[in-house]
Amino acid sequence: MALLNILRYPDPRLHKVAKPVTVFDERIKKLAADMAETMYAAPGVGLAATQIDVHEQVIVIDVSDGGNELRVFINPEVLWASEEKRVYDEGCLSVPGIYDGVERPARVKVRAFDADGKPFEVEADDLLAVCIQHEMDHLKGKVFVEYLSPLKRNRIKTKLQKEERELKKSAANG
């Protein structure tokens, strides 16, 4: 297994739309395993393949307290979303250190495939529902900050670009 590089907002590659997985093979299993290792190490509760510059519809999620309930969603699709909405403070491994409220459906029913290509459906609420929707947005090329006001989004972009410049500068000065 390997730790993968997570793209940071506002990297334009985060806006690429992911393609469906058509072959369920060892490569997909390894991708899901490497994504899970990267997510746990970050640490986070979800990671979409888009965030590691792989533009295929693969998501890994673990919202358990013990970090021992990994779920792999391949080619996920929302079958149903509740009319009831809920605001949840979201964060993102591609937008480190930034958290803000995003309104989403409180409950969703999703169909997807696991890493072996077996179809399944899950009804989710609370953090799992938020995480599924957040990661599915990544597959569509959308980052959670796009739900925020243009002013907040620009402040976040400026802050992260400044941090990136400082990281590169300190790495160059070694």
Side-chain angles (χ1 to χ4, degrees), residues 26-121:
E26 288 306 311
R27 183 187 68 82
I28 287 297
K29 288 181 185 177
K30 181 175 179 354
L31 174 63
D34 288 348
M35 287 174 60
E37 184 179 8
T38 301
M39 174 191 72
Y40 288 128
V45 295
L47 185 68
T50 302
Q51 293 176 270
I52 55 154
D53 202 21
V54 174
H55 303 284
E56 294 180 87
Q57 294 179 11
V58 180
I59 293 170
V60 294
I61 293 174
D62 187 342
V63 295
S64 68
D65 289 336
N68 57 357
E69 294 176 23
L70 179 67
R71 298 170 183 249
V72 177
F73 294 80
I74 298 176
N75 301 341
E77 62 176 308
V78 173
L79 300 175
W80 171 86
S82 67
E83 287 185 28
E84 177 193 353
K85 307 278 190 205
R86 200 170 279 151
V87 175
Y88 204 95
D89 252 5
E90 294 187 25
C92 180
L93 296 176
S94 291
V95 192
I98 306 293
Y99 299 87
D100 212 319
V102 175
E103 184 180 66
R104 298 185 185 272
R107 294 179 312 285
V108 292
K109 183 175 184 177
V110 175
R111 178 189 306 138
F113 294 90
D114 66 16
D116 294 315
K118 292 188 181 83
F120 69 92
E121 291 182 7

Side-chain angles (χ1 to χ4, degrees), residues 95-152:
V95 192
I98 306 293
Y99 299 87
D100 212 319
V102 175
E103 184 180 66
R104 298 185 185 272
R107 294 179 312 285
V108 292
K109 183 175 184 177
V110 175
R111 178 189 306 138
F113 294 90
D114 66 16
D116 294 315
K118 292 188 181 83
F120 69 92
E121 291 182 7
V122 64
E123 286 191 39
D125 59 8
D126 299 323
L127 181 56
L128 181 57
V130 170
C131 197
I132 289 169
Q133 294 173 82
H134 175 111
E135 300 308 334
M136 285 181 71
D137 276 353
H138 279 300
L139 300 180
K140 298 173 199 154
K142 189 169 187 175
V143 180
F144 91 96
V145 296
E146 293 170 49
Y147 288 99
L148 308 177
S149 71
L151 177 65
K152 277 187 177 179

